[in-house]
Amino acid sequence: MVQTTILIAVWVVTDNAYKGNTYEDDTDEGATYKPAGAARIPAPLGSGPAGPPSGPPPPSGPDALWNRNFRLFFVARAAAVLGEGMVPVAFAAGLIGAGHSGSSVGYALGLWTAAFAVFVLFGGVLADRFTARRMMIIADLVRLPGSLLLAVTFALGSPPLWAVYVLSGVSGIGAALFQPGVASTIPRIAPDVQRANAVLRVVEALMTMAGPALAGLLVAFWNAGAAFAVNGATFAVSACCFILLRVAPMPSDTTRRGSLLSEMALGWREFTSRSWLWGVIAIWTVYGLTVAGPMVPLTASLVTEQHGSATYGVLMAAGGAGSAVGGLLALRLRPVRPLAAGAVALLGLPVNLVLLGLDAAVPVLYAGQFLGGAAFAFWLVMWSTSVQTHVPQDALNRMHAYDVAGSLLMMGVGRTLSGPVAAVVGTEEVLLAGAGIAVLVVAALLVVRPVRTLPRV
């Protein structure tokens, strides 16, 4: 009931304009947008968002956005993010409750991350080879049995650690097969890519907050097995939505492909041929290593030690609320230079880090976390939209895979090194240094001309 209410609320917030427009065919096969009273215009054959579109601009507005395909995709993403948010709580309750050490939880989550980082590049190639929709269905069906097995074993007692680690790794592989397709599917089902990304960012922020809360309730009233059972159900919901999805075929879907390694090499050439793309990723690796990576564990340890775990929980909720607001802002603001606007918005993050490093009062910390969440969400929408509208469709899965792999690996290294470095120089000092580096990152994004001047499509 709570999840349904949240989904309806997001729908209502975004559905407040363009009331006279209709979307005549709810599938993407021949679907055409028509303002009220206008004659039907046939969709051009073979049309699709393979880079900057030609011809008249695509339809915009909530009525055009909420076609059948996007509704299915919306529900799938909401369910998946809700389930993902439940996993850390379920692992912590199940493993620690069974008498295992806290490090076992870290190992289980770490194996998920490692498997994801290693296989996501292959996921991008496979999505280009077999289509993103097929790979996302396969990925959900790969992860479903593992979640159900964890649900049964935790409900009956405690599974052996090796089984938990293996199943966590398999889930990470499934996520790696799934993730690249998210980026390439949005331009094929949404007539307004930025609005779609903004709406999805809002619901993902809400589900990120709802997932741990729901897992906590299930663990409190039943056990960790119940949380894993619901997690498995979210994979089933996602798979059903993608099975029902109807995406118009494109020439790239049937292109003859080379070997996996040759396709990865081709993707790398496509990646390096776009200076704005690899420029952002190169700058972002520094950001992930020195700012985004250390920020999460150091914030958790600092706030929990000084103000308690309840304060940290509220702080994370404030960040999630800020992310939702950032997504809503991205619904309304359409900058001519999206990456430049997103970079300026990122200045909200060093403000948050400075407040943490100076041990500001708790209400001020909440405000800083809210600002940081809004800033990061706005940047993510601008970045995702730029990639999805400037990169050709037949290379988009691999481009997204390189993006995710680079960012995730450096963030992982940053998280790993944050503890030892903070033990030597101090947690507050690391956070304040991160704030300074975050400002330099914004400056670098604005100095690099291809990034600064990239236009909105």
Side-chain angles (χ1 to χ4, degrees):
M1 183 64 183
V2 174
Q3 183 179 352
T4 302
T5 303
I6 291 174
L7 298 182
I8 293 173
V10 176
W11 200 325
V12 170
V13 167
T14 60
D15 189 17
N16 57 2
Y18 302 92
K19 290 298 183 182
N21 301 328
T22 59
Y23 203 73
E24 291 199 335
D25 186 342
D26 272 343
T27 73
D28 274 6
E29 301 185 39
T32 58
Y33 174 79
K34 186 185 80 168
R40 181 180 177 91
I41 303 173
L45 294 176
S47 61
S54 59
S60 61
D63 289 319
L65 176 64
W66 291 102
N67 59 70
R68 176 180 179 273
N69 276 338
F70 185 76
R71 291 196 299 268
L72 289 168
F73 190 86
F74 177 87
V75 173
R77 291 303 299 148
V81 176
L82 178 72
E84 290 167 2
M86 299 173 66
V87 171
V89 176
F91 270 136
L95 293 175
I96 295 176
H100 299 293
S101 66
S103 60
S104 64
V105 181
Y107 293 146
L109 297 176
L111 283 169
W112 185 99
T113 303
F116 180 92
V118 169
F119 285 93
V120 70
L121 293 179
F122 295 98
V125 174
L126 292 173
D128 282 331
R129 181 182 293 262
F130 300 112
T131 75
R133 174 177 168 272
R134 291 193 186 103
M135 290 309 303
M136 289 190 286
I137 294 171
I138 292 172
D140 281 331
L141 296 180
V142 165
R143 293 180 287 181
L144 176 58
S147 293
L148 296 181
L149 185 57
L150 286 171
V152 172
T153 52
F154 274 115
L156 296 177
S158 174
L161 278 178
W162 67 265
V164 173
Y165 295 157
V166 168
L167 292 174
S168 182
V170 170
S171 181
I173 294 173
L177 299 178
F178 183 97
Q179 184 61 37
V182 173
S184 65
T185 301
I186 293 173
R188 298 178 70 165
I189 64 173
D192 187 331
V193 176
Q194 179 177 324
R195 183 179 292 274
N197 280 312
V199 169
L200 292 170
R201 188 61 198 164
V202 172
V203 75
E204 286 170 1
L206 296 174
M207 292 299 101
T208 298
M209 292 188 291
L214 178 58
L217 289 174
L218 291 171
V219 169
F221 285 99
W222 287 282
N223 50 47
F228 280 112
V230 175
N231 175 240
T234 64
F235 292 134
V237 170
S238 178
C240 288
C241 288
F242 285 114
I243 289 172
L244 294 173
L245 204 67
R246 295 293 178 265
V247 181
M250 297 183 65
S252 59
D253 293 341
T254 56
T255 300
R256 186 176 181 85
R257 303 283 181 177
S259 66
L260 287 178
L261 291 180
S262 66
E263 287 293 303
M264 289 178 66
L266 180 60
W268 178 254
R269 289 195 294 273
E270 290 273 4
F271 176 76
T272 55
S273 68
R274 293 168 174 81
S275 56
W276 64 269
L277 184 64
W278 65 258
V280 171
I281 299 301
I283 294 170
W284 205 253
T285 57
V286 177
Y287 187 87
L289 177 65
T290 59
V291 181
M295 182 171 60
V296 174
L298 294 185
T299 299
S301 61
L302 183 69
V303 174
T304 301
E305 289 172 2
Q306 296 183 351
H307 306 288
S309 58
T311 299
Y312 178 69
V314 176
L315 194 72
M316 292 299 98
S323 295
V325 170
L328 291 174
L329 286 174
L331 276 171
R332 295 301 178 192
L333 302 179
R334 293 179 174 271
V336 177
R337 302 287 184 263
L339 291 184
V344 172
L346 278 176
L347 289 172
L349 279 167
V351 173
N352 180 38
L353 292 173
V354 168
L355 294 175
L356 288 165
L358 296 179
D359 191 22
V362 171
V364 179
L365 292 181
Y366 293 156
Q369 194 74 15
F370 181 91
L371 177 62
F376 195 66
F378 188 83
W379 159 260
L380 284 179
V381 173
M382 296 299 108
W383 168 246
S384 299
T385 302
S386 297
V387 173
Q388 292 161 3
T389 54
H390 281 274
V391 175
Q393 183 73 36
D394 59 358
L396 191 50
N397 291 308
R398 282 166 288 175
M399 296 302 99
H400 185 59
Y402 279 115
D403 173 16
V404 172
S407 302
L408 186 65
L409 284 173
M410 297 314 294
M411 285 182 64
V413 174
R415 290 184 180 184
T416 302
L417 296 178
S418 62
V421 173
V424 175
V425 303
T427 300
E428 292 88 348
E429 287 73 13
V430 174
L431 289 171
L432 291 173
I437 295 172
V439 174
L440 294 177
V441 163
V442 171
L445 289 171
L446 295 175
V447 165
V448 177
R449 189 174 183 278
V451 175
R452 184 183 68 252
T453 61
L454 188 77
R456 175 169 63 90
V457 175

